[in-house]
Amino acid sequence: MSTPAPDDEAAAPADGAPIPDDDGATNRKRAALYIAPFVALGVGNLLLILTWGVNPLWGFAILPPILFISVIGWVAFKGGFVHERDAEADAREHEHESAWD
């Protein structure tokens, strides 16, 4: 059983937006590379605090926010929604400028 080849019109998005040519693996890898320094700084600070002799309970208090913010950053870089929002804001800005001309 073979699957039929998709039509060009059926493969295009309904709103006419271009089809992204990069796969999700590169976005995930790039997001991990962007977030890795922040995770390293957070874990390094955690280790520094624990080596100073502070109660280890502080490690359990500090680690979840470090990981939470890192995951949020990873999702933001992976999804690219920050770039898309900037493009939309630029488009709206140009619409307002042309309306006042």
Side-chain angles (χ1 to χ4, degrees):
M1 293 190 186
S2 64
T3 58
D7 297 339
D8 289 337
E9 293 176 10
D15 61 354
I19 298 172
D21 57 353
D22 57 344
D23 57 17
T26 43
N27 285 342
R28 279 180 253 155
K29 185 187 294 186
R30 187 176 353 164
L33 289 174
Y34 290 161
I35 294 299
F38 299 107
V39 174
L41 282 172
V43 172
N45 285 334
L46 176 66
L47 293 175
L48 183 65
I49 287 172
L50 292 177
T51 57
W52 279 347
V54 179
N55 188 354
L57 186 60
W58 281 104
F60 291 112
I62 294 172
L63 188 60
I66 292 170
L67 296 177
F68 180 73
I69 295 300
S70 298
V71 168
I72 287 177
W74 183 80
V75 169
F77 280 117
K78 179 184 77 76
F81 67 86
V82 175
H83 175 69
E84 291 171 6
R85 289 183 55 97
D86 288 342
E88 290 174 8
D90 289 342
R92 284 194 305 265
E93 183 177 319
H94 292 299
E95 287 175 6
H96 291 298
E97 288 175 0
S98 63
W100 292 103
D101 289 338

